[in-house]
Amino acid sequence: TCVPGGCSLSALFPVQSQLDCALDDAATQQEKENIVNEYLERLGEKEDLKIPDFQTGLEWLNTRGPLSLNNELSGKVVLLDFFTYCCINCIHILPALHQLEKRHTVKDGLVIVGVHSAKFPNEKVLANIRSAVLRYDICHPVVNDSEAHLWHELEVSCWPTLVLLGPCGNLLFSLVGEGHRDRLMLFADCALRHYGKQGLLKSHDVGIKLYKDSLPPNILAFPGKVAIDNGSKRLAIADTGHHRILVVSLNGQLLHVIGGPESGRKDGDVTEASFSSPQGVAIKGDVVYVADTENHLIRKIELLEGKVTTVAGVGAQGTDREGGAMGTTQPISSPWDVTLGTAGSVEDNVLWIAMAGTHQIWALFLADGKLPKVSESKAGVCVRWAGSGSEENRNNSYPHKAGFAQPSGLALAPEEPWSCLFVADSESSTIRTLALKDGAVKSLIGGERDPMNLFAFGDVDGKGVDAKLQHPLGVAWAPEQSLLYVADSYNHKIKVVQPKSKLCNTLAGTGEVGDTLGPELIKTSFNEPGGICVGDGGKLLYVADTNNHQIKVLDLVSKTVSRVYFTEEERTLFPKSAAKKEMAPVSVAAGQTVVMSLTLSLPEGAKLTEEAPSCWTLSAEGTEWLLDHQVTTGDITDLSKPLVVSAKLPPEFKESPSDPKLTLAVWIYYCLETGSACTMKAASFSQPLNITACLGEVEEVTVALAHAF
């Protein structure tokens, strides 16, 4: 319909439906182009199909300022992408938009604008949208239409919806859902040629300024998942934004880096292998399985052999909802999490997969095995286990009739009486159980009883469906305590569930976006944590605090929170130009505390960059035991007073250290107040120690340090 304020998509549907039918019947590309060209000619003779402009006062990303169809976007063919960043279907069309941007530039006359129309309350917050724009490498302008004004005015009905506009803001085409790459390219090509011949296109810049270009470097970028191998005491971390997998010791020593920093799809030696936005990881011994999400693959890393292989998927998004082929010939869609399990008589003979793209749970057989009520499967087979493929919150005793909604996290509880997979079903905001013995799917907490209602979200502690979550992405099982931990991602909390009573309570998190470490669990803040795992017999939780670019550790015994610090990685990134100062030796004795007091000063007119992670680290290379069980890293937020770092030496030395020394390193990010120039500087201070038998009653030895950048 058209009103004085502009037209909606319902005015376009009658004419475009005829076009769509004609294109379905066309045999060749030339025929299709001729049909679209004729359509554009006819459309030009019809009434003005101009749409309403963007509301004033909206927040914009990746631009120098707001854009208007009547000003900056006038003379451009504009593609509006109505999306919400949680939506897997919206994520699926991003490669097509990237391809279109490479094919036609702003100078050519094409501008893509993401119109973010939130599903969840958390998605209305600009900072959270900004994180998603960075996470998905969106390089076009995005407007935060938090109240969905343009969505309603155009009568958009689902995510994603693409709307192509002519150079006067007039409606040309719309595409609903995913899977329209070829038709999108056809429409855009023809529209640009059509209006180019008429001289209606303009080549001006629209003021695109990518937010990612102003960011400081970070060790991690949007880590999606973290997994633990309690046997080898190692963590596997999906460093999603850097397209790589890290394997680290529990105290943060970097052992292996596979992939990154750019995306790719290469098997082979670990030094050359590449991934694309990996999410789920499962580690056992020297093998890591990876949900290589945007490559639509499952990968296997063999650390001892130093190689990476593809074990499932073909490298393109699949639509098959049944499966059953051998892994490397079986198309799959956006695997989001993986966990090892048993299906049959051989332990760990199956890799369970949360297949977010088709709303299902799949099984990849690593050895011969058998799913409940299904004939035996040979090693290598990849097959659907549960979920019809419809996006629903439907529970059913028959696994193929159940419905999931973007399952994103898995946790295995093989022991009785549980004997199930716990599933974080993100779009229904529920935790579900999938019985290992018969595949029955049941509700544990969250959501509501109507299987079609995917909007039953909130932040409420309680039992069963009375408890409410908001887009949970991760689950972890603690068998010793029979407790399930949940990364309630959009509520920025960690919650704990007692499966027997279905009672869900908040364990950590304020419910607000932040990055604080306590002092209490409930006062710790997170930013869309996406992954979680349990360590040390249920005493520790490792949390992938995704939008804070870090791994947090929750000590459930002492009720304290710390960060995993990656020692080797920091040394790798220590700039060659950094100042390195060797101090005069200081005499110390066992049991004493060495206090390093460092005064730092910035150039005149400079201040710390608030968004950047200025930090310090303390190390004792070669004699790491000197610092056992001590805090060896921290943030730097205030230079008005000295940075004081203490190290309490062991009460007795188990060995006579050779040339012991403590090294304090600092990384400082600062900007000049008079302009936009920002920089990172580093410095290290090595303090040799002379170990003596006794220094009397003196408990502390203070060393004063100073440095001016």
Side-chain angles (χ1 to χ4, degrees):
T1 56
C2 292
V3 296
C7 292
S8 71
L9 292 178
S10 58
L12 184 66
F13 289 152
V15 284
Q16 191 179 331
S17 61
Q18 298 173 21
L19 168 70
D20 291 334
C21 291
L23 288 172
D24 290 340
D25 295 335
T28 68
Q29 183 67 17
Q30 189 58 56
E31 279 184 69
K32 293 177 182 178
E33 291 180 9
N34 292 340
I35 291 169
V36 175
N37 290 334
E38 292 171 7
Y39 167 85
L40 289 169
E41 291 286 350
R42 291 197 306 273
L43 210 60
E45 299 168 2
K46 290 185 174 291
E47 61 175 305
D48 181 20
L49 291 176
K50 187 175 174 64
I51 71 165
D53 201 355
F54 300 106
Q55 274 201 320
T56 57
L58 296 181
E59 300 164 314
W60 287 79
L61 294 168
N62 284 345
T63 67
R64 296 190 183 94
L67 302 182
S68 165
L69 294 173
N70 299 321
N71 296 307
E72 293 84 3
L73 299 175
S74 177
K76 302 289 188 185
V77 170
V78 178
L79 180 66
L80 302 179
D81 172 24
F82 288 88
F83 78 111
T84 185
Y85 71 76
C86 69
C87 162
I88 192 68
N89 312 91
C90 300
I91 296 169
H92 283 164
I93 71 167
L94 289 176
L97 300 188
H98 290 317
Q99 181 183 343
L100 188 60
E101 286 173 304
K102 290 180 180 178
R103 188 171 175 137
H104 301 295
T105 66
V106 172
K107 190 173 182 180
D108 296 335
L110 177 75
V111 179
I112 300 175
V113 176
V115 185
H116 192 270
S117 311
K119 171 183 175 179
F120 292 99
N122 182 68
E123 295 179 311
K124 296 182 179 184
V125 180
L126 182 69
N128 300 338
I129 302 171
R130 181 186 292 121
S131 291
V133 165
L134 292 169
R135 199 159 62 239
Y136 301 134
D137 196 25
I138 295 174
C139 296
H140 50 256
V142 172
V143 60
N144 179 16
D145 190 9
S146 60
E147 301 306 317
H149 287 289
L150 193 56
W151 168 289
H152 293 305
E153 287 184 312
L154 290 189
E155 299 180 84
V156 175
S157 59
C158 72
W159 301 280
T161 293
L162 298 174
V163 178
L164 198 69
L165 305 176
C168 297
N170 49 307
L171 287 169
L172 300 179
F173 312 96
S174 73
L175 295 165
V176 177
E178 57 175 296
H180 305 298
R181 182 192 299 250
D182 292 343
R183 197 154 288 189
L184 172 62
M185 299 300 164
L186 173 67
F187 288 168
D189 291 349
C190 290
L192 288 166
R193 275 199 305 269
H194 176 77
Y195 290 109
K197 288 178 181 176
Q198 293 184 1
L200 296 177
L201 296 182
K202 299 176 184 176
S203 62
H204 64 275
D205 179 25
V206 297
I208 292 177
K209 181 183 179 182
L210 299 185
Y211 179 72
K212 68 178 183 178
D213 292 342
S214 63
L215 288 178
N218 210 335
I219 305 304
L220 296 176
F222 303 105
K225 300 286 183 185
V226 58
I228 190 169
D229 178 26
N230 285 303
S232 64
K233 299 190 183 313
R234 292 185 292 187
L235 296 174
I237 300 166
D239 187 8
T240 309
H242 287 144
H243 310 287
R244 64 182 184 171
I245 305 300
L246 306 184
V247 178
V248 305
S249 66
L250 298 185
N251 64 3
Q253 182 183 4
L254 196 72
L255 304 174
H256 303 275
V257 178
I258 308 101
E262 303 300 323
S263 64
R265 199 190 99 201
K266 188 174 183 181
D267 282 338
D269 192 275
V270 291
T271 61
E272 298 178 348
S274 55
F275 305 88
S276 184
S277 298
Q279 287 282 348
V281 282
I283 179 171
K284 183 181 181 182
D286 291 300
V287 175
V288 182
Y289 290 97
V290 180
D292 192 6
T293 305
E294 293 193 6
N295 276 329
H296 309 285
L297 298 173
I298 302 297
R299 315 286 289 282
K300 179 182 180 182
I301 303 172
E302 296 172 89
L303 298 174
L304 285 181
E305 290 81 358
K307 68 177 183 178
V308 176
T309 53
T310 295
V311 291
V314 296
Q317 183 190 343
T319 56
D320 183 1
R321 297 181 178 186
E322 301 288 337
M326 296 302 286
T328 53
T329 64
Q330 175 62 58
I332 60 176
S333 180
S334 297
W336 211 273
D337 201 8
V338 290
T339 192
L340 285 162
T342 302
S345 57
V346 181
E347 184 180 357
D348 288 342
N349 67 335
V350 69
L351 188 72
W352 303 120
I353 306 168
M355 204 71 77
T358 54
H359 314 291
Q360 296 171 312
I361 307 301
W362 283 49
L364 171 65
F365 282 90
L366 308 175
D368 293 354
K370 186 180 184 303
L371 292 173
K373 302 178 182 178
V374 180
S375 58
E376 182 135 336
S377 294
K378 294 294 184 183
V381 166
C382 190
V383 63
R384 177 269 303 259
W385 181 28
S388 64
S390 297
E391 188 174 7
E392 300 173 331
N393 176 24
R394 188 177 299 279
N395 300 301
N396 201 293
S397 57
Y398 295 93
H400 291 184
K401 293 184 178 180
F404 294 93
Q406 211 170 305
S408 301
L410 298 174
L412 182 68
E415 64 277 3
E416 295 291 348
W418 319 112
S419 187
C420 71
L421 265 180
F422 292 104
V423 181
D425 199 38
S426 62
E427 281 292 279
S428 67
S429 295
T430 64
I431 305 300
R432 322 275 286 284
T433 62
L434 176 52
L436 297 176
K437 63 180 180 180
D438 59 11
V441 177
K442 297 179 181 179
S443 169
L444 183 64
I445 59 166
E448 65 141 89
R449 291 179 176 85
D450 178 0
M452 304 305 293
N453 183 3
L454 302 182
F455 288 80
F457 52 77
D459 183 8
V460 181
D461 290 350
K463 286 187 176 182
V465 294
D466 293 332
K468 291 290 180 278
L469 309 171
Q470 188 181 179
H471 200 77
L473 291 172
V475 278
W477 176 244
E480 294 85 356
Q481 296 80 16
S482 293
L483 293 174
L484 182 73
Y485 295 97
V486 178
D488 190 4
S489 307
Y490 283 9
N491 283 326
H492 317 290
K493 287 183 174 182
I494 304 302
K495 295 184 176 178
V496 58
V497 182
Q498 301 175 39
K500 186 174 182 179
S501 65
K502 296 189 175 184
L503 180 63
C504 173
N505 286 305
T506 297
L507 173 71
T510 63
E512 301 292 331
V513 170
D515 182 17
T516 56
L517 300 176
E520 302 157 37
L521 295 181
I522 206 71
K523 292 184 179 179
T524 293
S525 53
F526 304 91
N527 191 343
E528 293 189 10
I532 189 170
C533 67
V534 176
D536 195 15
K539 297 175 185 175
L540 298 176
L541 291 182
Y542 295 89
V543 178
D545 193 5
T546 305
N547 288 356
N548 280 328
H549 316 293
Q550 61 189 239
I551 306 297
K552 283 191 169 85
V553 187
L554 278 59
D555 188 322
L556 302 181
V557 177
S558 65
K559 310 294 184 186
T560 57
V561 186
S562 58
R563 286 169 50 184
V564 173
Y565 169 68
F566 307 99
T567 50
E568 293 296 321
E569 182 71 353
E570 286 283 16
R571 276 200 282 274
T572 301
L573 295 180
F574 205 75
K576 294 179 180 178
S577 60
K580 298 179 178 67
K581 295 187 176 183
E582 186 85 17
M583 313 306 294
V586 62
S587 295
V588 295
Q592 285 187 320
T593 298
V594 179
V595 180
M596 304 177 79
S597 177
L598 173 60
T599 301
L600 296 170
S601 56
L602 300 179
E604 187 176 351
K607 62 178 181 178
L608 288 177
T609 307
E610 291 182 10
E611 300 84 1
S614 293
C615 62
W616 61 266
T617 68
L618 185 64
S619 60
E621 194 167 358
T623 54
E624 285 81 2
W625 53 269
L626 287 173
L627 297 175
D628 276 354
H629 310 297
Q630 299 191 57
V631 176
T632 57
T633 181
D635 295 329
I636 298 174
T637 58
D638 183 7
L639 296 185
S640 64
K641 54 188 178 183
L643 170 67
V644 178
V645 177
S646 299
K648 184 173 177 58
L649 301 179
E652 58 183 47
F653 293 149
K654 50 187 166 184
E655 58 188 82
S656 180
S658 175
D659 299 324
K661 66 179 178 180
L662 299 176
T663 300
L664 177 62
V666 294
W667 286 258
I668 303 295
Y669 296 87
Y670 63 87
C671 297
L672 298 176
E673 293 176 337
T674 54
S676 58
C678 296
T679 188
M680 185 274 279
K681 296 288 186 182
S684 69
F685 307 85
S686 294
Q687 179 59 68
L689 305 177
N690 282 337
I691 306 296
T692 61
C694 180
L695 281 183
E697 300 298 317
V698 180
E699 293 184 358
E700 290 187 352
V701 176
T702 300
V703 179
L705 309 168
H707 182 70
F709 290 104

